[in-house]
Amino acid sequence: MLAENAFLPILLTLASYEVGRAIQRKTGNSLCNPILIGAILTASMLLLLKIPVDAYQSGCAPLQYLLTPATICYALGLYEQLEKLKKQLGAVLAGILCGSIVSLLSIRAMAFMFSLDDVLTISLLPKSITTAIGMVLSSEAGGIAALTTAAIVITGVLGNVFGESLCKLFRIHHPIAQGVAFGTASHAVGTSRAMELSQLTGAVSSLSLTVAGVITAVLFHFLIP
């Protein structure tokens, strides 16, 4: 009965995320990421209630349709900071290009080192771009869309949680440089954290995730097995 309820997957997803937000607000700990907590709670409830994954994914289809317009909405922050970005546009684009290439080549190298098969390699290559683009690239090339989604979410959560600490560790203090790092490496989830740092960092991160998605989509087909 629960598996056949069309509204349960959406309610479960939203409720799990809200619990994660409440825990993060209460603790103030960056490790208590709402997306990470929400994913763990959702997976636990699916196992507990014995709801098939296919039924859950089908029920969440309306939320998946919102991924693309939600990503496009990041352009608002970019528009507000456009004047500040014009002088640094060349450096920003160069950083995004380098980051995208490093992301793809690192996955390709690790796939070779660990002898991953072609399907796993294809599924992991688009790990650093937004889900709306990564799922399409993976499925069209013969990868596993669900695995790609998991890799993208994990990458984004890691960037969200540890991105600021890594910037401090490597002395990346300029907001534009931080924005390029967040957006290129950890897409929309990292961008949500970048927006908390400053409006400029969030705007650059928004630009970076978009351009990184385009660059990855172009280079992806040259690197698949």
Side-chain angles (χ1 to χ4, degrees):
M1 181 183 68
L2 290 174
E4 294 175 357
N5 190 318
F7 297 102
L8 179 64
I10 294 177
L11 291 175
L12 178 59
T13 302
L14 296 178
S16 299
Y17 179 75
E18 286 302 318
V19 170
R21 287 186 61 192
I23 293 174
Q24 187 181 55
R25 286 197 300 266
K26 184 71 173 179
T27 62
N29 192 331
S30 60
L31 291 175
C32 298
N33 185 276
I35 295 178
L36 177 60
I37 294 175
I40 293 173
L41 288 176
T42 300
S44 300
M45 291 302 296
L46 291 179
L47 290 172
L48 180 64
L49 300 175
K50 298 181 180 179
I51 298 175
V53 175
D54 291 341
Y56 172 76
Q57 290 179 328
S58 176
C60 285
L63 291 180
Q64 294 177 356
Y65 294 142
L66 295 175
L67 284 174
T68 300
T71 303
I72 294 172
C73 287
Y74 280 122
L76 293 175
L78 175 62
Y79 175 77
E80 293 174 352
Q81 302 292 326
L82 192 58
E83 291 300 321
K84 295 181 180 179
L85 285 174
K86 285 181 178 179
K87 296 180 181 180
Q88 306 290 340
L89 188 58
V92 169
L93 294 177
I96 299 170
L97 177 61
C98 291
S100 300
I101 292 174
V102 168
S103 174
L104 289 168
L105 291 180
S106 63
I107 289 297
R108 200 69 178 87
M110 285 189 285
F112 175 77
M113 290 172 57
F114 294 103
S115 301
L116 299 183
D117 61 32
D118 292 349
V119 174
L120 286 177
T121 302
I122 293 170
S123 302
L124 295 175
L125 275 173
K127 69 169 182 61
S128 289
I129 58 176
T130 185
T131 310
I133 302 175
M135 287 179 61
V136 175
L137 288 177
S138 175
S139 58
E140 288 184 350
I144 304 171
L147 179 58
T148 302
T149 302
I152 290 172
V153 170
I154 291 172
T155 302
V157 170
L158 289 174
N160 186 296
V161 173
F162 298 109
E164 186 178 4
S165 298
L166 289 173
C167 285
K168 291 179 179 178
L169 177 64
F170 293 103
R171 299 181 181 180
I172 304 174
H173 303 302
H174 198 287
I176 292 181
Q178 291 178 342
V180 172
F182 272 100
T184 305
S186 51
H187 51 84
V189 182
T191 298
S192 65
R193 178 57 180 157
M195 288 182 168
E196 296 176 4
L197 299 180
S198 74
Q199 289 185 344
L200 181 57
T201 304
V204 177
S205 186
S206 302
L207 173 64
S208 299
L209 78 88
T210 304
V211 177
V214 174
I215 293 173
T216 301
V218 173
L219 299 179
F220 173 81
H221 297 285
F222 294 99
L223 291 172
I224 57 177

